[in-house]
Amino acid sequence: MSGAGTGYDLSPTTYNPEGRVFQVDYAIKATENGGTIIGLKCRDGILLAGEKNVVSRMMMEGSNKYIFGVTKEIGAVITGVIPDGKSVIMRARQEASQYSEFYGQQIKPTVLADRVAQFMYLFTLYGGLRPFGSTIMLAGKYQNDYRLFMVDPSGAMFEYYSCTAGKGSQVCRTEIDKLRLEDITVRDAVYHVCRMLIKSREETRDKRYEIDMGWVSEESFGLFVPVPTEFRKEMENKAKEDIEREERGE
Amino acid sequence: MAAVGLIDSISELSGMGVEKTGTSIMAVTFNGGVVVGADSRTTSGTYIASRVSDKLEPIHSRIFCLRSGVSSHTQTLAKYVRNYLSQYAVNENSEYPEVGVAARLFQVMNYSNKDFLRASIIVAGWDPVQGSQVYEIPLGGSMVQVPFAISGSGSGYIYGYCDANWRPNMSENEAVEFVKNALSLAMSRDGSSGGISRYAVIRPDGVTRNYVSQSDLPYRG
């Protein structure tokens, strides 16, 4: 079986002659096949959103969310291999609760993101483990500052004004670059994100999907909470109509 | 507490006690900082092991702790907390870590090892988030934040004085006078406290340390 990394891709403990670790690259590939996720740092907070294919009509609406709360003020969204992502979230929750147990304070978003990154990095070091096939976006408030981070399967962590991952990430990236994030609120951003996510589903337009969103903002008093469902659905429908209207050329 | 009791009884039999800081220590918040003060006597039974000891222990650049109980226990606790806190400060990019974090570290260790330790600590300092704070962590490992705290064997003699004379929002000079007088009264009545009184003023812009020599103490009993 030949492929790009014949022989050098059997384990995360092997480099190839070009200095790449193929298992980590493959894990990143796995996240690129996942549903699109977006994080936007707006004027008054951060919006996290993700879209997922709904495989069957039998699935309950609103179940199986990809957005999680880690602490009261810090939330996350995942893509890629979902069970991998969930397991990282469980670890993040543990880290956060042990931290506050030991230091008597809520963990800061920077510190939590760092812990998550170190945890994911651990799995790129050993032959007996495989890297997580999931990208995690973390958003949280600390004192008067909103911070947004993204961690990929290699364990690299960066802070962002806006970030995307998953299948439609390139399309959404272009759309985000057209926005002036400092001027819009998280409320405004919900509409824009719905537009982007729907637009990025070009090929799979007819398949059933669901959008999950959560925000941490002035409006939510600095807590990470789900975006109210009726409001989100309203913005989704509006976005859908606007896109259809544009396509009809009006 | 069983282990500590055993150590005490064995050393009593030999005539020398475990080195203890029978002591008078206090910390007082004022408008813009904290004053911490202590006596300077360390005893081993009735022998004064040191008449010039320094019980004002810096934990971080704007955080001090005051120690009473068994010297070795309190010194070791302070070392651990200093270590953990400095790592915390580096990790979190925080030049002045929160005083509450230092207090919490003392509390966690004091409580989890309560069967083996006899340590009563006052943590006092300043941080940019909450300003000046004082926490007391007595023997059992509980923790409470207070505007001022007194502790040690000598503290029993000055509860009345402190309650009558403490006011919120004192100026730095008023707070220093309060500490000098209170400690001097305690030292004049408590056999386990004495020597000189040391005090330090912790402000956002720095820490100044000073002492009151025996001849300058206001009350000498």
Side-chain angles (χ1 to χ4, degrees), chain A residues 186-195 198 211 213 215 227-242:
Chain A
V186 280
R187 229 159 217 273
D188 305 331
V190 172
Y191 168 74
H192 293 292
V193 166
C194 287
R195 263 189 78 100
I198 295 171
I211 296 179
M213 290 190 181
W215 60 25
V227 170
T229 321
E230 309 82 53
F231 174 64
R232 189 207 76 216
K233 283 208 172 130
E234 191 192 317
M235 292 293 110
E236 248 185 82
N237 290 332
K238 184 162 183 290
K240 226 182 293 186
E241 284 165 13
D242 287 351

Side-chain angles (χ1 to χ4, degrees), chain A residues 132-145:
Chain A
F132 288 100
S134 184
T135 292
I136 322 280
M137 269 178 208
L138 291 152
K141 181 175 189 193
Y142 178 66
Q143 293 184 341
N144 285 322
D145 224 358

Side-chain angles (χ1 to χ4, degrees), chain B residues 53-72:
Chain B
S53 61
D54 184 356
K55 303 175 191 177
L56 309 179
E57 184 100 31
I59 297 295
H60 205 262
S61 50
R62 299 286 183 274
I63 305 177
F64 272 69
C65 82
L66 299 160
R67 311 181 283 109
S68 70
V70 177
S71 277
S72 55

Side-chain angles (χ1 to χ4, degrees), chain A residues 4 39 46 50 60 85 135 239:
Chain A
I46 299 182
M60 281 185 69
T135 292

Side-chain angles (χ1 to χ4, degrees), chain B residues 45-122:
Chain B
T46 52
Y47 172 65
I48 296 179
S50 170
R51 58 188 174 90
V52 287
S53 61
D54 184 356
K55 303 175 191 177
L56 309 179
E57 184 100 31
I59 297 295
H60 205 262
S61 50
R62 299 286 183 274
I63 305 177
F64 272 69
C65 82
L66 299 160
R67 311 181 283 109
S68 70
V70 177
S71 277
S72 55
H73 296 180
T74 58
Q75 280 176 8
T76 310
L77 273 183
K79 270 196 199 148
Y80 272 111
V81 172
R82 197 178 293 127
N83 186 1
Y84 285 135
L85 196 66
S86 73
Q87 287 179 26
Y88 171 91
V90 166
N91 249 334
E92 314 244 333
N93 244 339
S94 163
E95 197 183 349
Y96 303 118
E98 293 189 39
V99 184
V101 173
R104 176 55 166 243
L105 291 170
F106 270 112
Q107 189 221 359
V108 163
M109 284 193 285
N110 211 357
Y111 177 76
S112 354
N113 298 296
K114 63 157 74 183
D115 289 348
F116 308 103
L117 294 174
R118 185 146 76 210
S120 170
I121 310 267
I122 298 177

Side-chain angles (χ1 to χ4, degrees), chain B residues 17-63:
Chain B
V18 172
E19 194 174 282
K20 290 200 284 260
T21 44
T23 203
S24 307
I25 50 177
M26 64 189 289
V28 179
T29 55
F30 66 88
N31 224 351
V34 193
V35 182
V36 294
D39 74 306
S40 68
R41 180 175 293 181
T42 309
T43 49
S44 244
T46 52
Y47 172 65
I48 296 179
S50 170
R51 58 188 174 90
V52 287
S53 61
D54 184 356
K55 303 175 191 177
L56 309 179
E57 184 100 31
I59 297 295
H60 205 262
S61 50
R62 299 286 183 274
I63 305 177

